[in-house]
Amino acid sequence: MELVNETSTPIKQTNFIQDIIDEDMRTNRFDRPVHTRFPPEPNGYLHIGHAKAICVNFGTAAANGGLCNLRFDDTNPTKEDEEYVEAIMEDIRWLGFDWEDRLYFASDYFEQLYQYAVELIKRGKAYVCDLTPEQIKEYRGTLTEPGRESPYRNRSVEENLDLFQRMRNGEFPDGSRVLRARIDMASPNMNMRDPVLYRIMRATHHRTGDKWCIYPMYDYAHPLSDAIEGITHSLCSLEFEDHRPLYNWILEALEIPYPPKQIEFARLNLNYTIASKRKLRRLIDQGILAGWDDPRLVTLRGLRRRGYTPESIVEFCRLVGVSKTNSVHDLAMLEHCVREDLNKRAQRVMAVLRPLKVTIETYPEDLVEEFEIENNPEDPAAGGRKVPFSRVVYIEQDDFMENPPKKFHRLAPGREIRLKGAYYITCREVIKDPVTGEVTELICTHDPASRGGYTSDGRRVLGTSHWVSAAHAIPAEVRLYDKLFTVPDPDRDGDPGAYLNPESMVVLQNCLVEPSLAAAAVGDRFQFLRQGYFCLDPDTTKEKLVFNRIVSLKDTWSKIQKSGG
RNA sequence: UGGGGAGUAGUGAAAUGGCAUCACCGCAGACUUUGGAUCUGCUUUUCCAGGUUCGAAUCCUGGCUCCCCAGCCA
């Protein structure tokens, strides 16, 4: 019998889009099942905001037994590139979505789109306009004043047909003429003031090469691309709300049967981040960011390299919901999602980020014991592993305090704590650098009766520390990532560079990790006990492991410290 | 000041005339061989003013605030 994977079972979410779909299905608005599309322009890398759009489009289709296409909206060759096509497909697959054989390009429809435009002209609904870009702008009017009609608005069908054909033939220079819809220059909706449908632009298209010198505009190509693919619900973001009358006008003017319906929802915004490609590119160019896959970025590539699981991102998108409210979500919610996911799945290991030497003087010099430690207390099936222990170990510098405050639960002079899975140790002597006064080593004793980390006398210890055996530990570099910006709205005055967090990446070179990590592969994720979740970075070499901190564990102690406790 | 949208807890999301609910965040406690996880509890919400109604987040009227639109970008 086949197991049903709950997470892969589409669950119908109640949101306003689903309500509309339910109503459309009830009234037989369409002659076909629900069909959506995700329509990226191949002009950049996908980010967390796109992930929401992907989840909404693929998710809505799946929840209704329908299909979702991947369509590249490539109608502007000056801004688009094949490089992004591949990258975008890779990112969508990584998120876990599958468009099967339904990969489309708006550019595949250029000929059909052209023929539709000819039809529009024949119906008197489009005309060739010779106004310059500046004049078009002038004639368009303003938000409060109506526009004026172009002097070319009433050309004959024959003349328009001839001119449009010659635009296609390349008889006119770039920008000299456009094809415009003949709608209403006095419309209060600027989009309806005879919008441009086609422009002359000699640019090599990444797919059609130099075949065309006229290219359709988004407002014209999109509704028709939807219609050609049989899309029922064309889901897009809020700023296209006042384009909807134009979307519908195009479909009506061409009498498209069962026309697709555009529905707008709020895009995903995250605090402490920026989405502006231009501003991010500047930070990359300045060398502040390592590239589009910098682990501090919320690009899908950045999140992937950081170590985020695709499942946690999809879950995040599910949790934020779908509505029409302009909103900014908490980064903490995203972090919650990846913690929740990794808590269930990530193997636990011990890693000491800032090592402090501990010599256990009562422990035999040449003895090495191996302790079996559980891999994941959340998942007994994950089993355990052997971790070697010896006379000299390293613990975290933060796990020792010479003069501990009341609530400090770890090692201090004279105190006994547990080394996870090994022994209780008691601090007998503190060795300091005679010059700096810095604590360089602790001399401890151990209780042989506490083997494995507990005693039969029921005695309690204050706390448990993680450790690595000096003789067995592997050196590693650990990159501690944090928020890229120090304020929730880094673009508040247009220059996010002014709010960079100087601690967004702290590189620790002298970390020591337990020997089992020698077998780790790039991309593997672990919980470093008591510290957080970490992912092996591609910068790893034979000589050196490099880990990225995905997210810290929730840390009650640091809160106590901050609050002055 | 034209048009299109949106206002529910700190952040988001439900409630479709009938007890304002959920998640995250925050706070407190229990438990803990991770100061993790888990469990328990708590604080904080319907933009405003009228009206309809036995009853309004929801319907009506008026106002306020915020977002988007004047690319041959998408």
Side-chain angles (χ1 to χ4, degrees), chain A residues 278-489:
Chain A
R278 199 184 88 246
K279 289 171 186 178
L280 285 173
R281 182 178 296 280
R282 197 192 309 162
L283 296 177
I284 290 170
D285 290 345
Q286 291 171 340
I288 292 164
L289 293 172
W292 290 101
D293 68 342
D294 189 293
R296 290 165 288 186
L297 254 21
V298 288
T299 53
L300 262 21
R301 311 174 92 64
L303 290 166
R304 179 158 71 231
R305 182 163 181 183
R306 174 86 166 249
Y308 270 79
T309 60
E311 292 82 359
S312 68
I313 294 171
V314 171
E315 171 65 3
F316 173 69
C317 293
R318 191 185 68 77
L319 283 181
V320 301
V322 184
S323 75
K324 297 189 68 135
T325 314
N326 264 310
S327 55
V328 181
H329 286 82
D330 240 317
L331 198 58
M333 176 82 92
L334 217 209
E335 294 181 340
H336 159 78
C337 290
V338 74
R339 277 195 195 102
E340 187 179 64
D341 189 19
L342 259 16
N343 177 49
K344 288 180 294 199
R345 306 166 32 168
Q347 143 126 33
R348 271 61 168 172
V349 293
M350 293 196 287
V352 175
L353 269 28
R354 297 172 176 91
L356 173 60
K357 187 179 180 185
V358 174
T359 300
I360 303 159
E361 59 183 3
T362 49
Y363 196 83
E365 282 205 43
D366 47 3
L367 180 61
V368 175
E369 288 182 275
E370 287 199 317
F371 291 108
E372 175 87 6
I373 297 182
E374 79 277 3
N375 283 333
N376 187 347
E378 299 296 312
D379 177 17
R385 67 193 183 288
K386 296 257 199 286
V387 184
F389 181 84
S390 61
R391 191 170 194 258
V392 180
V393 299
Y394 286 95
I395 64 167
E396 212 65 56
Q397 282 172 23
D398 287 350
D399 282 350
F400 171 80
M401 281 183 101
E402 200 168 11
N403 300 298
K406 189 92 178 94
K407 289 179 182 167
F408 185 72
H409 289 174
R410 300 223 138 63
L411 207 55
R415 263 202 201 174
E416 183 176 55
I417 61 149
R418 171 169 39 236
L419 292 182
K420 166 82 182 176
Y423 288 104
Y424 292 179
I425 59 166
T426 303
C427 177
R428 302 296 180 187
E429 189 184 345
V430 180
I431 299 175
K432 297 181 187 175
D433 184 306
V435 179
T436 64
E438 181 195 1
V439 176
T440 55
E441 184 180 352
L442 267 21
I443 307 297
C444 297
T445 56
H446 79 299
D447 178 358
S450 65
R451 195 170 185 283
Y454 61 90
T455 57
S456 50
D457 63 3
R459 142 171 138 253
R460 316 279 299 215
V461 287
L462 265 169
T464 303
S465 282
H466 58 280
W467 52 272
V468 292
S469 165
H472 305 88
I474 305 173
E477 173 181 320
V478 174
R479 299 172 181 171
L480 301 177
Y481 290 108
D482 198 355
K483 295 183 179 82
L484 218 208
F485 300 103
T486 54
V487 295
D489 51 342

Side-chain angles (χ1 to χ4, degrees), chain A residues 138-165:
Chain A
E138 264 177 55
Y139 275 68
R140 187 153 33 223
T142 69
L143 293 180
T144 50
E145 306 157 39
R148 285 140 51 213
E149 294 189 348
S150 163
Y152 305 99
R153 196 173 198 264
N154 296 312
R155 289 217 252 231
S156 70
V157 168
E158 292 66 33
E159 189 183 3
N160 280 319
L161 250 16
D162 173 63
L163 253 16
F164 188 49
Q165 174 70 52

Side-chain angles (χ1 to χ4, degrees), chain A residues 242-260:
Chain A
D242 49 15
H243 293 237
R244 190 176 352 118
L246 177 53
Y247 182 99
N248 291 335
W249 184 92
I250 303 270
L251 297 171
E252 274 164 33
L254 291 162
E255 297 178 83
I256 302 291
Y258 298 101

